[in-house]
Amino acid sequence: MHPRTLPPPLVCHVLVVETDNGLVLVDTGHGTQDCDDPGRRVGPGRHLFRPSLDHDETAVRQVERLGFHRDDVRHIIATHFDADHIGGISDFPEAQIHTTAAEVSGAVRNPSFQEKIRFRSAQWEHGPKIVEHTPDGEQWRGFAAAKELTDIAPGIVLVSLPGHTRGHACIAVDAGHRWVLHCGDAFYHPGTIDGQSTVPRFIRVMEPILAFDRKRVLDNHARLSELYRRRDQDLLVVCAHDESQFEQARATAVAKA
Ligand SMILES: [Zn+2]
């Protein structure tokens, strides 16, 4: 995405995980149908965020370039239901969509007036099987409301972190040589959690505007900052839209043999 006042561009960071249960995606970014019908599927936000909407950049094309078929993707875990995170689910009609029950409530079942405008129901009108989870009880690195999605595969954990949306979650994946915590839109820029680099003005302005619950967004920043500053050697923390974190993650995605 290329907001006018924000070089460098924002990426849509998607994880693809090979499991014994097929391929699993964490988020999808925009999909091919978003490219073909952006007015209905992406909505007015596209004029601000200016996604490139290029078929070649979609998750399905990238999965195919890795040598897989779209039907190899059996499960998609969504951090939340904003258009730039689930637009690609219709490219994987065989996949089950996993998210929190609170997110389904806010986006699908019982949206408020604002949520009706925010979320783009055209993106799930193909009728995917949506599996709702209620993370509670289990712990993950100090986060109290987590749930390991063992029905998909061991080592994939849904961590409830509402704030950006009603049922936003982070997804932790055990990649073997390390864990990756995909934080979705719980933060947008490394400066928010490392306390060093400067957060661009566009992000400082947009983040509270996009928040379902501003106080919780700030609380989440504090918690993620604490986790980040612990610098656990076996943990990589990334958000959905930062290009530098994406490049760092991609360069080290597979353990060196
Ligand atoms: Zn986003």
Side-chain angles (χ1 to χ4, degrees):
M1 300 186 283
H2 307 265
R4 278 187 204 285
T5 58
L6 186 72
L10 300 170
V11 299
C12 291
H13 195 153
V14 172
L15 307 182
V16 56
V17 189
E18 281 189 271
T19 75
D20 294 339
N21 213 355
L23 295 185
V24 177
L25 299 187
V26 174
D27 280 353
T28 67
H30 285 297
T32 61
Q33 293 182 43
D34 295 350
C35 303
D36 297 339
D37 190 3
R40 209 167 70 83
R41 293 186 48 114
V42 183
R46 72 191 189 282
H47 299 299
L48 183 61
F49 284 93
R50 308 198 322 144
S52 50
L53 297 175
D54 174 352
H55 276 244
D56 269 349
E57 289 190 29
T58 60
V60 66
R61 293 287 168 269
Q62 297 199 47
V63 163
E64 287 167 354
R65 284 204 292 275
L66 291 170
F68 297 101
H69 189 270
R70 66 174 70 201
D71 291 348
D72 295 331
V73 174
R74 311 302 293 275
H75 301 276
I76 297 170
I77 309 167
T79 59
H80 63 296
F81 263 40
D82 274 345
D84 52 327
H85 296 258
I86 61 150
I89 63 174
S90 50
D91 289 326
F92 304 96
E94 299 302 315
Q96 294 184 3
I97 315 303
H98 299 259
T99 188
T100 65
E103 191 68 1
V104 175
S105 180
V108 181
R109 207 171 28 236
N110 190 24
S112 66
F113 178 70
Q114 286 98 331
E115 286 168 323
K116 269 189 192 140
I117 295 169
R118 171 181 200 146
F119 298 111
R120 308 300 300 179
S121 58
Q123 292 183 322
W124 58 85
E125 69 188 3
H126 61 293
K129 180 167 169 40
I130 299 176
V131 184
E132 300 177 35
H133 299 275
T134 307
D136 56 12
E138 292 174 46
Q139 282 247 357
W140 188 83
R141 297 201 189 211
F143 291 88
K147 182 187 177 190
E148 187 171 10
L149 303 180
T150 47
D151 287 350
I152 301 176
I156 299 180
V157 182
L158 190 66
V159 182
S160 174
L161 213 64
H164 177 67
T165 59
R166 200 196 292 205
H168 186 282
C170 303
I171 320 296
V173 178
D174 182 357
H177 63 309
R178 67 179 176 199
W179 282 80
V180 177
L181 182 64
H182 188 303
C183 293
D185 290 357
F187 71 100
Y188 282 83
H189 188 273
T192 301
I193 59 167
D194 68 16
Q196 292 164 2
S197 40
T198 306
V199 180
R201 185 165 185 276
F202 177 85
I203 288 172
R204 279 186 281 122
V205 171
M206 288 312 298
E207 198 166 14
I209 291 174
L210 294 171
F212 174 77
D213 183 333
R214 291 182 190 183
K215 168 146 190 336
R216 285 188 116 156
V217 165
L218 293 176
D219 288 348
N220 296 342
H221 287 172
R223 296 178 67 189
L224 289 168
S225 186
E226 194 184 308
L227 178 70
Y228 182 83
R229 286 169 203 213
R230 254 181 19 213
R231 297 199 181 274
D232 293 344
Q233 287 302 308
D234 64 337
L235 176 66
L236 181 72
V237 178
V238 298
C239 65
H241 296 306
D242 183 68
E243 187 186 42
S244 65
Q245 291 185 336
F246 171 71
E247 294 298 348
Q248 187 202 350
R250 186 158 67 165
T252 57
V254 178
K256 295 210 168 53

